């Protein structure tokens, strides 16, 4: 399952980032998923809930942001935004658009609870 390995990768990235920033807890995870990846958000969501077990993300819900495809048309030169994975220019119907974005999946943001840094005024 495609979504499973992506979910594991997201969990790994989020954990590494949380550790790097000495987070006490992770409140939320946001991932950006390009339309062209063909990833089904519901499946990724379910895979994430399994993949996060036993990690510091156990309490952190995943928010998925779907990223439209950005592409350039080789014929009319226009930059277009597509919401389905069919790479056809909406203006001149040319095929073989050059993809500029929306073909990947990445960790968009993390909401962390970080320990007070030294020099705080708590007693
Ligand atoms: Zn075109």
């Amino acid at each position: 399952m495609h979504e499973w390995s992506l979910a594991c990768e997201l969990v790994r990235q989020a954990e590494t980032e949380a550790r790097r920033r000495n987070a006490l807890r992770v409140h939320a995870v946001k991932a950006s998923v390009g339309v062209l990846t063909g990833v089904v958000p519901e499946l990724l969501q379910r895979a994430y809930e399994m993949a996060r077990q036993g990690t510091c993300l156990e309490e952190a819900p995943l928010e998925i942001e779907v990223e439209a495809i950005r592409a350039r048309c080789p014929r009319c030169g226009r930059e277009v935004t597509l919401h389905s994975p069919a790479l056809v220019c909406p203006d001149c119907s040319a095929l073989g658009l050059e993809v500029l974005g929306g073909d990947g999946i990445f960790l968009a943001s993390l909401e962390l609870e970080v320990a007070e840094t030294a020099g705080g005024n708590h007693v």
Side-chain angles (χ1 to χ4, degrees), residues 1 19 24 38 44 47 77 93 97 105-106 109 112 120 123:
M1 183 166 123
R19 219 170 298 141
L24 298 175
L44 182 63
S93 307
L97 305 191
I105 170 166
F106 59 90
S109 70
L112 303 173
V123 192

Side-chain angles (χ1 to χ4, degrees), residues 11-95:
V11 166
R12 204 160 29 226
Q13 277 183 28
E15 269 197 299
T16 307
E17 190 60 26
R19 219 170 298 141
R20 207 171 59 80
R21 294 200 234 158
N22 294 317
L24 298 175
R25 271 168 32 167
V26 181
H27 291 301
V29 178
K30 197 178 194 179
S32 175
V33 175
V35 170
L36 203 55
T37 58
V39 167
V40 181
E42 292 75 35
L43 292 183
L44 182 63
Q45 187 70 252
R46 231 177 301 155
Y48 168 81
E49 278 160 24
M50 287 189 275
R52 70 177 175 177
Q53 278 174 31
T55 74
C56 62
L57 306 176
E58 245 167 355
E59 312 272 284
L62 173 68
E63 193 188 321
I64 298 171
E65 197 177 59
V66 176
E67 190 195 358
I69 300 167
R70 279 183 303 110
R72 187 183 293 124
C73 175
R75 194 194 288 169
C76 68
R78 260 198 57 179
E79 253 185 49
V80 297
T81 304
L82 305 167
H83 297 276
S84 81
L87 292 176
V88 181
C89 177
D91 275 0
C92 70
S93 307
L95 300 169

